Amino acid sequence: MDGTARWPATIRLRAWERDHLNLVEGERLLDVGCGLGEAALALAEDLGDTGEVVGVDISAEMLRVARANARAARGSVLFRVGDAGALDEPNDSFDAVRSERTLQWIRDPLSALSEMVRVLRPGGRLSLIDTDWSTFTIDVGNRDLAERVSEAMRTERNRPSNIGSRLHDLVQGAGLTPLSRNAQTHTWTEWNPDETPAPDGCFSMESLADDLVDAGQLAANEQASFVHQIRDAAYRNQFAMSLTMYAVVATA
Ligand SMILES: C[S@@+](CC[C@H](N)C(=O)[O-])C[C@H]1O[C@@H](n2cnc3c(N)ncnc32)[C@H](O)[C@@H]1O
């Protein structure tokens, strides 16, 4: 997650989000699936001493780090364990709600979205940022490998992994008015497998191979050679991957 936060594409999306959320002193912001809390804490700067940030995440472990990160924050910051599908917050209680890269992990993203809308006051702003894994490409000089990866990524299995490009339609379907949308692509052009187990902010190539096996694009006995081809290309400096993230800011 720290790696993902360093991607220039993430930095651009978060700066764009900050401009479009237009938070003002004294407002209340909810971050659903806040993870390590750094995006919420950066936005807390705009809420001043009288504002409040609430971060909700299903993982107590994430929140332990988020609380440590919050020590120097101005204003009130609360991180609590909770489920995006059943928020323990009153109706109309936030001026703004954000959720980044979380809906893609939730089996019923529409319930989570309707919870965000429920706790947002009329006229409040909603910001959603998410990945669309069907945009993932890998170029290691092997067209067959690239096509198998694309095919595996196109199909959603057990989770809405391609929700990014649907965000705009989803907020409209939930009765909100989109104010602005954005998309940013992260590209990896180098990776030294001896220095890091995976490209910065990305899953390991072993887990990519597992995904291809699940999707029927790779036989179990081909996994080792698949990973070897990618690592070998990275050593030869013939390695590129890309992934697009989408964002929408809407008003209730
Ligand atoms: C990829 S991380 C993104 C974290 C952070 N928003 C960011 O962009 O850096 C996804 C987060 O969603 C949380 N999460 C997954 N399912 C959730 C649920 N049902 N309710 C709340 N949080 C959830 C995970 O624990 C994790 O912290």
Side-chain angles (χ1 to χ4, degrees), residues 180-194:
S180 190
R181 65 201 293 187
N182 201 336
Q184 297 287 335
T185 301
H186 178 65
T187 54
W188 294 261
T189 49
E190 54 187 36
W191 171 41
N192 182 343
D194 292 335

Side-chain angles (χ1 to χ4, degrees), residues 23-64:
L23 295 166
V24 297
E25 171 112 27
E27 286 194 317
R28 299 189 77 228
L29 167 71
L30 174 68
D31 189 352
V32 179
C34 61
L36 308 177
E38 73 277 50
L41 290 168
L43 289 169
E45 293 284 309
D46 295 346
L47 304 173
D49 296 331
T50 55
E52 182 169 68
V53 171
V54 178
V56 169
D57 201 284
I58 202 122
S59 159
E61 207 176 322
M62 295 282 178
L63 296 181
R64 262 196 295 279

Side-chain angles (χ1 to χ4, degrees), residues 142-177:
N142 180 331
R143 188 178 287 251
D144 172 60
L145 182 150
E147 277 170 11
R148 289 196 209 192
V149 170
S150 288
E151 199 49 49
M153 291 295 184
R154 254 197 293 278
T155 316
E156 292 187 332
R157 293 179 305 284
N158 305 319
R159 66 184 186 97
S161 52
N162 303 340
I163 199 164
S165 55
R166 302 199 291 269
L167 292 179
H168 182 268
D169 291 351
L170 285 177
V171 298
Q172 264 185 330
L176 279 74
T177 306

Side-chain angles (χ1 to χ4, degrees), residues 1-2 4-5 10 14 31-39 56-60 62 81-87 98-107 112 129:
M1 235 172 267
D2 282 338
T4 315
T10 305
R14 287 181 178 175
D31 189 352
V32 179
C34 61
L36 308 177
E38 73 277 50
V56 169
D57 201 284
I58 202 122
S59 159
M62 295 282 178
V81 174
D83 183 352
L87 293 173
R98 79 179 297 274
S99 186
E100 178 177 349
R101 263 186 297 264
T102 294
L103 287 176
Q104 63 173 293
W105 293 105
I106 296 180
R107 276 173 192 250
I129 297 176

Side-chain angles (χ1 to χ4, degrees), residues 102-143:
T102 294
L103 287 176
Q104 63 173 293
W105 293 105
I106 296 180
R107 276 173 192 250
D108 184 359
L110 289 183
S111 295
L113 179 56
S114 77
E115 277 294 89
M116 293 181 211
V117 175
R118 178 183 67 74
V119 302
L120 193 59
R121 69 160 169 82
R125 291 88 73 207
L126 174 71
S127 163
L128 298 177
I129 297 176
D130 229 307
T131 317
D132 183 330
W133 286 98
S134 72
T135 66
F136 183 77
T137 66
I138 182 163
D139 179 1
V140 290
N142 180 331
R143 188 178 287 251

